[in-house]
Amino acid sequence: MCRHQANIPDLTMWDQEIRQMASSHAIMASGVFMATVVPAVLVPGFSVYGTHLLWLYSVAGSVTVVNITLFWLLGVSPPTKKNTLNYKVSRLVRSCLYLLLSCLFFHTVVVLYGAPLLETALETFSLAVLLTSLTTLRCVCVLGPNVQAWIRVFSRHGAMSVWDTSLQMVVGCSIVGAWLGAFPIPLDWDRPWQVWPVSCSLGSVIGYLTGLVVAPAWIHWHRKQLTYKSK
Amino acid sequence: MKKLPILALLLWLCALFYVAIFLFVSGFLLVRLEVNRTSTCGDVLLPGGREHGDFCQGQPRFRRAVLLIIDALKIDFARFDPANKEPRPFENKLPVLEEMTSSKPSHARLFPFRADPPTTTMQRIKGFTTGSLPTFIDMGNNFASSAILEDNLVHQLGEVGKRVVFMGDDTWESLFPKKFHRSLPFPSFNVKDLHTVDNGILQHLYNTMVGDDWDVLLAHFLGVDHCGHRFGPDHPAMAEKLTQMDEVIRSVVDRLQDDTLLVVMGDHGMTDTGDHGGESQRETDAAIFLYSPSPLFPEPSSQSDPEVVPQTDLVPTLALLLGIPIPYSSVGQVLLPLFPAHRHTAGAPAGLSQAEALWINAKQVNRFLETYSSMAKDIPPDSLSRLQADFSRLSSEYLSMVNEGRLPSPELVASLQRYLTSVRDTCRATWARFNPAKMAAGIAVLACACVLCYVLSEMSSALVREPRLLRAPLLTAAAVGVCVVAGQLVVQGYAEGSWCLAAAALSSEVLVLWRTRQTRKSNAAEGRGWLTLPDFFMTPAFLVLLLRCASLLSDSYVIAEGRVVTFLLFSLSLYIPFRLNWDGFLVPPVHDPLKHAGLLPSPGLSPSAVRRESAAVLAGLGLLVASLYLSLSFHGCREEQGSCQPSPFLWPLSRVQDSRVKNLHYVLSLASLGAWSYTLRRWLRHYGNLNSPGVAVFTARWILPLLSVCLGLHWAVAATPDDSFRNLAELIALGQRALPMAAFALLGLGLALLSLDPLTVFIKTRAAAPVRSSASPPPPRYRASTGISPQAELHHLIPQLYQRMRRSLEEGEPARVPEGEGRPAVEAYGLGTVYSAPLVLLVGLLGLGLLLLHPEGMALSFLLMMLEMGAMLQIHASSVTLNNQQGARLDGFAVSWTPLVLWSLASTQFFHATGHLPTFPSIQWAAAFVGFPGGHTGTMLPATLVTLNTFASHILFAVACPLLLFWPLVCEVRGGRGGRGGGEDGDDNAIMEMRLREVPQQFSSALLQLSIRYLFISGAQVFASVCAAAILRRHLMVWKVFAPKLMFEASGFLVSSVFVLVGVTLVMRVDVAVGRWFQRLLPDVSR
Ligand SMILES: [Zn+2]
Ligand SMILES: [Zn+2]
């Protein structure tokens, strides 16, 4: 597939790959957008602040569906060595397990960052689900259920394709967005978006969208400097 | 190692910060001494043998008074302009005042009422009840509570038996606890709540007025002020609020009786945004409206009414009108229009005449001035003597007039007025004015000091190489200071110390900066331009420091400081492994060696060592995160944090009622105490520091455990309820006194022993006496150099010695005789941690001493603090090892910014996690009575104890700061062993801290750099809070949040810097001792 041709400095190839990425990112962004707009039309009383958890899960769900579909269609994920059903099932099970673990991981980290332990456990866990869908899910889709590859991808020379680079960016932006989202919480402004976890989930989604925009642009901009070692 | 130049440089840097803080604080925080004397009726004896002996027995002009205080009633709100056809929301909303003054000119009058800064409600209430000029810090002996101890109206009214009924803002209740006949306080804290206080007052006001259960009625409305804070004055809500007040005034006026005086007044004004606190005219100019159903002003608008009534003048006026003595510390002057010009022609039956009132007033003010000037020296002496001369002249003039039976002349009245005015102006100049010049100078010196710290920390190696670099600029600066003194003496006749200091500090800073710039320019080798942004400003460490500083500018963040710092600390510590991974150091390269063998240089660390170091980083991170999270449960609560519950561990055990909880807490504390001591001993033993017979080891072996035992016993005794063991009461009392004393003594002894001989090295020439004589231990080439001085020989010899000693660095591990050689082995236990062991011991001792000053439950928090320190050191050490795995150290022993920022943040974090808060009510005063249950006679000792208690975490982290330099070396041996295990030559790796002695220049420069960087980080935070106080001096929260924060940050810096110096001094002391030790050893070995 294209990921193996990426180390050839062929600009047309590059352009095609970047265009592919840009369009898939546009679909992902529009998925987030639809997840906000469609329930607003269908569900009475829906609003981002008021029924925040509903919005959160709708975004998380749409991101999940769009991601899985797109990456499956694009076939970005690493080629499986074995094609047996057993292997596929075990991969699927491991993916689900990792996603669940990632939810718990994010929940723990957020609690350690200062979220209340018990009172808002549901809200905190929902944020963890959202963060998982924005970050870990993409890791699973791009790299497969392989934690070592995930760790490897977040190093300076760890990216091995444009999809890896975009993964770095999207995940980084989402996390930084959620981190920044915590800043307005202590302020005494009494705004609806300061309620836990609205600002953080908004921050992470905004960061995610930023990442979706920035990644293709950055790769396009630096396409001449980028070289990938083949795996 | 160059000791004195380094210490001098550090001292000079600290002094710069001190000067800056002193300058700013003396311009910003005005300090006044409280005079705790009260006036009595006897003080007011009228001269000339008047008929009524006791002033208080006489018939006062008014029997009763109603004071309606409308918070932030600006003069603009009270004025009425009939020509204004389109009034803004705050204009023309109080028509009642205008109606009364125009329809009954001899009954009512409206004046602007000028408050003195700080224009905050609490200071203003103090001001118009004591008649003085309260500053932010009124130095008195009521640190612990906010109650007014100075003489005041409420007190005087109570003395003569007048019943004072109060309703409204609950600030009054804290200022005058139990002073009111009846009191109906309502919560004033929520600024967004416009109505609770006002409606509460209105429910009771009219009923109370109609009844006869009062003599003075105080009602303090808050709605207008809160409306200003919430919406600003130009808002429909303000119109509503003022209209409501208009109705209130009307209703009160309707219910007044003839013998009652009505005062409607604001305590301060507000800016156009609705804030107050500063000194602009909008903030200071409130309104005062005086009314009485009986004629109040004898001659309707006859003589010149004052244009503005200063707020201090209310106190003497009200006092004399109600027939009570003027409060002792009042510096106000009676409002003359309210007194008849001549006693006998006046309509009012028993009022004082103007001259009499002024005379009483002047005598009182003079008495206060004499008392104050004997206690404090802040009033300029020349104006003081002028005032005193004025008074004695006036008094003889007045007395002769009265004795001759003449009526006082108008000239005398006018000069009495002038005297009073000049007293007030003198006092105001001393106490009630920010000094913007000093504030600006302070900020400038502070900013320069921070820049300087940064620049010097970047060129520490150059500084160590040529310590004379800074001599010329410093001498010039001292000369500038002297010149300024001389100039001041010539121009003014006297010199002001602060300006000389400012001039000297600023000039030295500028000169040194200029000098360093030149050095940098000439040092082309450095390659970096002076103005290009260095690396530090691009790192997350800097971002975190920046965020931390920015957070000091917002009141919400200061209130939530404990959480904010923890958040930042957590973020920065998570960044470390992320960064290591990003650089590819966290995981060993997984590629098969065949492929990359030719391409990459072979890594310095074997994959197993990398894996172990990575695990160490992650384990350290886990420990750090766990202790961070657990430490959150030891926080106290500010009053601004509504739903916060203070930590249960903050209660002293003696106050815990439930005995099971008490026992549990006691056992927990004891366990943490034991863990603290055990961990320390374990560490020392692990690195072989518990073997020598020296005094430092004695301290570690005996004093440390004894101290813990003392502490545990002290807690047990202190927690014993007073009534449980009656027959043991004396013993318990003795224990409460003796145990802490013993602990202090042990601590003192330990510190003294440690400074006497900090070496913990144990040397043993093992089984070598016969062998030694046969084989010469040092290789011959060194022995042959007889012509070289002993110093040089020592220099050459020492590396040889290390080669021997490194093998015996680990505890218990006997020095292995090198295979196949019959040479003697020199065993030196603990040489590898010769620098860090005394430091660790010092931290342990100090920690126990400081824990003694805390509530028992804080033992857990102290244990967490130690674990967190260990975790940070471990992370730092392992990440240094991982970062250096590709090759040798690039920059000597320099400690990078990230661990230092973490270190500094952790000190703030544990300030909170030991139950402290940057507010004055949260100071743990109980610390002053540990070991002194009967109290103190002086103030120095309790102040020291409270300071030590408050800044415990600052002290520990500052002292332990040099550990950041040593820890990577302490941990190095493991990497070396791993290396040897991997078949490499690990010999060079295993000399741990002795590496530092091989390159004394680099050691000095790293130590200097470390301390300067720590000072920079602390100093930047002081700078931020100074800026916050300066920029936000009008902010609602300035006296509640920013000014206390500034005080704590500045004091924390003071304490930290002192203890950084202590730590550095200890390291140098160890260095000297190590040098001597080698010298002693030298003849031994070379014989
Ligand atoms: Zn006020
Ligand atoms: Zn106010």
Side-chain angles (χ1 to χ4, degrees):
Chain A
M1 281 300 305
C2 37
R3 60 182 288 114
H4 293 290
Q5 295 153 357
N7 51 349
I8 304 163
D10 180 356
L11 284 188
T12 55
M13 209 62 187
W14 269 99
D15 283 343
Q16 190 199 340
E17 200 160 39
I18 292 168
R19 214 169 290 135
Q20 196 180 28
M21 178 189 293
S23 47
S24 62
H25 279 191
I27 297 172
M28 290 174 196
S30 65
V32 173
F33 182 68
M34 295 302 280
T36 313
V37 171
V38 170
V41 178
L42 298 180
V43 183
F46 177 89
S47 77
V48 175
Y49 311 144
T51 54
H52 181 68
L53 289 190
L54 193 61
W55 172 79
L56 192 154
Y57 281 113
S58 125
V59 170
S62 110
V63 168
T64 311
V65 170
V66 171
N67 262 310
I68 291 175
T69 323
L70 274 177
F71 282 108
W72 184 61
L73 285 177
L74 289 169
V76 171
S77 50
T80 53
K81 286 161 218 150
K82 292 172 256 174
N83 249 337
T84 60
L85 182 70
N86 232 350
Y87 183 71
K88 276 185 177 167
V89 168
S90 94
R91 264 177 77 93
L92 190 69
V93 169
R94 268 197 301 152
S95 303
C96 291
L97 185 71
Y98 282 165
L99 288 178
L100 186 69
L101 284 179
S102 139
C103 287
L104 292 176
F105 172 76
F106 277 121
H107 187 103
T108 319
V109 168
V110 170
V111 165
L112 288 175
Y113 256 116
L117 183 63
L118 297 174
E119 295 102 87
T120 55
L122 177 66
E123 281 84 353
T124 309
F125 191 74
S126 311
L127 179 65
V129 169
L130 180 69
L131 284 173
T132 302
S133 72
L134 298 181
T135 58
T136 320
L137 183 76
R138 201 179 165 104
C139 290
V140 171
C141 291
V142 176
L143 302 168
N146 179 356
V147 178
Q148 277 185 346
W150 299 358
I151 292 175
R152 185 259 307 154
V153 109
F154 290 103
S155 64
R156 187 174 282 139
H157 308 292
M160 295 189 182
S161 72
V162 280
W163 286 105
D164 287 0
T165 310
S166 80
L167 176 76
Q168 284 176 356
M169 287 181 166
V170 172
V171 169
C173 286
S174 309
I175 303 257
V176 168
W179 185 72
L180 288 175
F183 282 68
I185 295 176
L187 294 171
D188 57 352
W189 296 345
D190 282 349
R191 298 296 153 86
W193 46 266
Q194 283 180 288
V195 178
W196 177 251
V198 178
S199 55
C200 280
S201 45
L202 278 182
S204 62
V205 171
I206 291 169
Y208 177 69
L209 294 176
T210 316
L212 290 183
V213 173
V214 166
W218 191 88
I219 292 168
H220 180 74
W221 212 251
H222 291 87
R223 63 187 184 282
K224 289 193 182 138
Q225 288 101 303
L226 275 180
T227 47
Y228 293 112
K229 277 179 271 171
S230 67
K231 213 171 182 178
Chain B
M1 186 179 197
K2 289 177 180 119
K3 284 152 199 100
L4 279 180
I6 291 182
L7 278 182
L9 181 64
L10 286 176
L11 264 176
W12 170 65
L13 281 175
C14 292
L16 288 181
F17 280 104
Y18 300 160
V19 167
I21 291 170
F22 167 72
L23 276 174
F24 182 84
V25 168
S26 65
F28 177 71
L29 293 175
L30 308 145
V31 180
R32 184 184 62 114
L33 213 66
E34 279 186 2
V35 177
N36 287 329
R37 294 209 198 164
T38 50
S39 303
T40 58
C41 297
D43 291 342
V44 207
L45 274 180
L46 289 177
R50 282 252 174 234
E51 57 275 18
H52 47 281
D54 192 348
F55 173 75
C56 306
Q57 298 299 314
Q59 177 76 30
R61 174 84 180 279
F62 290 100
R63 192 168 68 81
R64 307 208 284 188
V66 177
L67 265 82
L68 297 185
I69 298 140
I70 300 177
D71 208 288
L73 180 70
K74 203 177 171 180
I75 183 64
D76 301 4
F77 299 172
R79 287 203 177 105
F80 188 85
D81 179 12
N84 189 352
K85 290 298 170 226
E86 286 178 4
R88 292 165 57 193
F90 60 89
E91 287 174 333
N92 290 357
K93 291 300 181 295
L94 292 169
V96 58
L97 305 180
E98 166 67 15
E99 283 165 26
M100 306 296 287
T101 44
S102 54
S103 66
K104 296 180 183 171
S106 65
H107 293 256
R109 214 51 71 82
L110 173 70
F111 299 111
F113 191 41
R114 183 159 293 163
D116 297 289
T119 50
T120 51
T121 301
M122 193 207 270
Q123 265 75 21
R124 286 303 93 223
I125 295 177
K126 275 190 178 178
F128 60 70
T129 51
T130 61
S132 185
L133 299 160
T135 57
F136 172 58
I137 306 170
D138 290 335
M139 300 288 274
N141 44 13
N142 59 337
F143 274 125
S145 83
S146 54
I148 298 184
L149 294 186
E150 267 187 310
D151 196 9
N152 58 69
L153 274 184
V154 178
H155 172 79
Q156 289 294 346
L157 288 167
E159 287 291 293
V160 301
K162 298 221 180 228
R163 294 157 295 174
V164 184
V165 174
F166 166 74
M167 47 188 74
D169 183 348
D170 58 4
T171 313
W172 286 76
E173 192 53 46
S174 62
L175 292 177
F176 303 99
K178 299 187 189 131
K179 287 273 185 181
F180 298 117
H181 176 63
R182 206 147 63 81
S183 144
L184 298 161
F186 298 99
S188 62
F189 180 67
N190 186 358
V191 178
K192 303 217 161 108
D193 177 1
L194 268 54
H195 299 296
T196 307
V197 176
D198 294 5
N199 293 346
I201 295 172
L202 292 180
Q203 272 184 0
H204 302 282
L205 180 62
Y206 306 133
N207 303 341
T208 310
M209 275 192 77
V210 174
D212 204 31
D213 189 26
W214 59 278
D215 291 306
V216 174
L217 180 60
L218 281 164
H220 191 145
F221 295 90
L222 271 183
V224 173
D225 177 62
H226 284 189
C227 184
H229 287 303
R230 184 154 182 207
F231 302 113
D234 214 354
H235 190 276
M238 187 59 94
E240 258 175 57
K241 210 66 225 178
L242 289 173
T243 311
Q244 185 193 16
M245 289 301 121
D246 185 69
E247 281 161 25
V248 171
I249 296 169
R250 279 175 205 279
S251 325
V252 169
V253 165
D254 288 343
R255 290 172 174 79
L256 282 180
Q257 288 170 354
D258 274 1
D259 60 352
T260 310
L261 173 71
L262 170 68
V263 181
V264 179
M265 55 187 253
D267 56 346
H268 47 75
M270 62 170 72
T271 60
D272 292 341
T273 53
D275 296 321
H276 55 90
E279 50 189 333
S280 73
Q281 200 175 340
R282 293 175 201 281
E283 289 156 283
T284 55
D285 276 13
I288 185 168
F289 173 76
L290 296 152
Y291 170 80
S292 168
S294 62
L296 181 61
F297 298 89
E299 294 133 30
S301 64
S302 64
Q303 60 194 130
S304 54
D305 276 353
E307 270 180 29
V308 171
V309 177
Q311 210 172 53
T312 46
D313 293 2
L314 181 71
V315 169
T317 311
L318 274 182
L320 294 188
L321 286 177
L322 292 169
I324 55 171
I326 303 175
Y328 198 93
S329 321
S330 159
V331 292
Q333 135 179 202
V334 289
L335 249 176
L336 276 197
L338 285 128
F339 295 87
H342 303 294
R343 187 179 188 80
H344 303 291
T345 56
L352 296 162
S353 75
Q354 292 185 345
E356 285 167 334
L358 279 174
W359 168 244
I360 296 172
N361 196 182
K363 264 193 83 172
Q364 169 265 326
V365 163
N366 179 59
R367 194 175 59 226
F368 166 69
L369 212 58
E370 278 178 0
T371 317
Y372 188 85
S373 58
S374 70
M375 289 165 60
K377 300 278 170 260
D378 51 357
I379 299 178
D382 52 338
S383 45
L384 197 66
S385 57
R386 205 188 59 239
L387 288 173
Q388 271 158 352
D390 276 1
F391 178 77
S392 55
R393 185 174 50 77
L394 288 171
S395 105
S396 63
E397 208 172 311
Y398 179 84
L399 289 178
S400 69
M401 270 190 182
V402 171
N403 286 336
E404 290 164 27
R406 282 186 288 147
L407 285 175
S409 62
E411 291 81 49
L412 184 62
V413 170
S415 32
L416 277 170
Q417 267 189 294
R418 270 201 304 279
Y419 166 72
L420 288 168
T421 311
S422 56
V423 170
R424 189 181 55 216
D425 289 346
T426 308
C427 293
R428 186 176 288 158
T430 316
W431 298 326
R433 234 167 249 163
F434 288 135
N435 191 333
K438 276 190 188 172
M439 284 162 66
I443 292 180
V445 175
L446 195 52
C448 284
C450 287
V451 172
L452 200 58
C453 265
Y454 179 75
V455 171
L456 290 184
S457 84
E458 290 301 293
M459 49 181 292
S460 62
S461 54
L463 282 176
V464 170
R465 247 180 287 128
E466 331 166 39
R468 276 150 206 269
L469 196 66
L470 303 179
R471 183 169 291 177
L474 292 183
L475 286 180
T476 323
V480 169
V482 173
C483 284
V484 171
V485 176
Q488 278 189 332
L489 281 175
V490 169
V491 176
Q492 302 175 325
Y494 64 93
E496 218 178 327
S498 49
W499 287 114
C500 312
L501 285 175
L506 204 58
S507 56
S508 68
E509 282 169 348
V510 171
L511 287 170
V512 169
L513 277 176
W514 182 70
R515 187 67 199 270
T516 52
R517 188 181 170 185
Q518 286 207 321
T519 321
R520 288 219 146 191
K521 267 187 183 166
S522 63
N523 269 8
E526 301 230 11
R528 229 190 258 147
W530 196 70
L531 281 176
T532 52
L533 274 185
D535 306 337
F536 172 49
F537 296 102
M538 294 293 140
T539 57
F542 178 70
L543 176 72
V544 164
L545 183 61
L546 198 68
L547 284 173
R548 158 79 182 134
C549 290
S551 80
L552 292 171
L553 290 161
S554 149
D555 57 325
S556 311
Y557 282 112
V558 175
I559 288 171
E561 193 190 32
R563 305 301 292 265
V564 171
V565 169
T566 315
F567 181 92
L568 291 177
L569 198 50
F570 189 46
S571 304
L572 190 57
S573 54
L574 278 191
Y575 164 75
I576 292 176
F578 175 78
R579 177 67 202 222
L580 282 174
N581 185 45
W582 181 257
D583 290 336
F585 295 145
L586 194 62
V587 283
V590 287
H591 309 293
D592 48 343
L594 290 175
K595 192 166 173 186
H596 287 283
L599 298 172
L600 289 174
S602 66
L605 283 183
S606 64
S608 67
V610 170
R611 229 168 272 132
R612 199 171 51 239
E613 293 298 318
S614 307
V617 168
L618 294 181
L621 188 68
L623 185 60
L624 174 62
V625 166
S627 41
L628 272 180
Y629 189 71
L630 289 178
S631 77
L632 282 179
S633 53
F634 294 95
H635 280 215
C637 284
R638 294 176 71 113
E639 58 171 324
E640 290 90 346
Q641 291 169 310
S643 62
C644 169
Q645 280 293 322
S647 160
F649 293 101
L650 279 172
W651 292 102
L653 276 186
S654 50
R655 282 204 231 161
V656 178
Q657 294 298 326
D658 187 350
S659 66
R660 274 181 54 199
V661 174
K662 198 182 212 170
N663 288 340
L664 182 70
H665 276 199
Y666 182 68
V667 169
L668 271 179
S669 307
L670 222 51
S672 347
L673 187 63
W676 171 282
S677 304
Y678 175 76
T679 318
L680 279 176
R681 281 194 52 140
R682 176 96 187 87
W683 187 87
L684 289 171
R685 215 173 59 210
H686 179 74
Y687 285 102
N689 290 311
L690 283 186
N691 298 324
S692 95
V695 286
V697 175
F698 173 76
T699 310
R701 284 173 101 75
W702 295 108
I703 294 186
L704 196 69
L706 265 179
L707 196 54
S708 325
V709 171
C710 261
L711 233 68
L713 284 177
H714 167 61
W715 290 341
V717 170
T720 320
D722 292 332
D723 48 353
S724 58
F725 302 104
R726 278 195 191 284
N727 37 3
L728 291 180
E730 274 185 25
L731 201 62
I732 289 175
L734 182 72
Q736 272 181 344
R737 183 180 290 272
L739 284 170
M741 279 300 176
F744 286 139
L746 281 174
L747 180 64
L749 181 66
L751 296 182
L753 290 180
L754 200 59
S755 56
L756 198 69
D757 179 18
L759 278 196
T760 53
V761 180
F762 177 54
I763 184 139
K764 189 166 84 178
T765 36
R766 200 178 67 97
V771 189
R772 196 209 229 168
S773 58
S774 65
S776 55
R781 52 193 165 125
Y782 291 109
R783 286 210 65 203
S785 57
T786 44
I788 302 176
S789 68
Q791 265 304 318
E793 193 169 341
L794 183 70
H795 193 76
H796 286 295
L797 184 72
I798 288 169
Q800 291 303 310
L801 202 60
Y802 300 141
Q803 296 298 325
R804 307 275 163 61
M805 287 178 179
R806 71 179 163 66
R807 295 191 175 82
S808 55
L809 290 175
E810 293 239 61
E811 173 250 339
E813 194 177 340
R816 278 169 299 182
V817 178
E819 296 88 324
E821 294 175 71
R823 288 201 307 189
V826 182
E827 277 181 65
Y829 291 100
L831 191 60
T833 52
V834 67
Y835 291 103
S836 43
L839 260 182
V840 167
L841 196 54
L842 177 65
V843 172
L845 282 174
L846 273 182
L848 287 182
L850 294 172
L851 178 56
L852 178 64
L853 302 176
H854 279 81
E856 294 85 347
M858 285 302 121
L860 286 165
S861 170
F862 270 71
L863 182 66
L864 285 179
M865 190 191 306
M866 190 167 71
L867 292 179
E868 187 172 318
M869 271 188 192
M872 283 195 294
L873 289 171
Q874 186 57 56
I875 295 174
H876 168 59
S878 299
S879 60
V880 165
T881 315
L882 287 174
N883 270 321
N884 291 336
Q885 63 179 284
Q886 296 297 347
R889 295 166 168 278
L890 295 175
D891 44 359
F893 304 102
V895 177
S896 64
W897 287 98
T898 310
L900 273 167
V901 171
L902 276 178
W903 202 251
S904 167
L905 284 179
S907 78
T908 312
Q909 182 235 333
F910 270 102
F911 171 77
H912 287 268
T914 43
H916 298 287
L917 292 167
T919 61
F920 291 112
S922 70
I923 293 178
Q924 298 176 358
W925 299 105
F929 300 102
V930 174
F932 303 90
H936 300 264
T937 45
T939 51
M940 270 310 282
L941 190 60
T944 312
L945 289 176
V946 170
T947 310
L948 289 178
N949 160 286
T950 307
F951 298 106
S953 84
H954 290 84
I955 290 173
L956 290 179
F957 278 92
V959 165
C961 195
L963 285 180
L964 285 171
L965 169 61
F966 301 131
W967 215 263
L969 299 168
V970 171
C971 297
E972 197 175 40
V973 70
R974 295 175 307 139
R977 253 197 296 153
R980 246 180 296 163
E984 285 162 58
D985 182 39
D987 278 12
D988 292 333
N989 283 337
I991 62 174
M992 292 162 83
E993 284 172 11
M994 282 301 112
R995 219 179 253 289
L996 292 168
R997 271 197 73 83
E998 285 172 353
V999 273
Q1001 291 272 350
Q1002 282 191 26
F1003 181 21
S1004 305
S1005 95
L1007 190 64
L1008 181 66
Q1009 187 182 43
L1010 174 85
S1011 2
I1012 297 185
R1013 282 186 171 176
Y1014 196 71
L1015 285 182
F1016 170 79
I1017 294 168
S1018 317
Q1021 294 173 39
V1022 175
F1023 180 66
S1025 56
V1026 160
C1027 286
I1031 297 167
L1032 301 167
R1033 60 184 188 280
R1034 299 268 153 74
H1035 192 276
L1036 168 66
M1037 290 292 182
V1038 70
W1039 301 112
K1040 277 207 136 166
V1041 173
F1042 295 115
K1045 180 64 201 154
L1046 166 66
M1047 297 291 286
F1048 275 83
E1049 198 67 53
S1051 325
F1053 177 83
L1054 249 68
V1055 174
S1056 297
S1057 58
V1058 167
F1059 278 88
V1060 165
L1061 286 176
V1062 168
V1064 170
T1065 317
L1066 181 69
V1067 170
M1068 290 174 171
R1069 173 81 193 77
V1070 177
D1071 197 56
V1072 172
V1074 173
R1076 289 224 189 95
W1077 184 78
F1078 275 119
Q1079 239 157 9
R1080 271 208 317 270
L1081 210 64
L1082 176 67
D1084 217 37
V1085 177
S1086 58
R1087 204 174 289 135

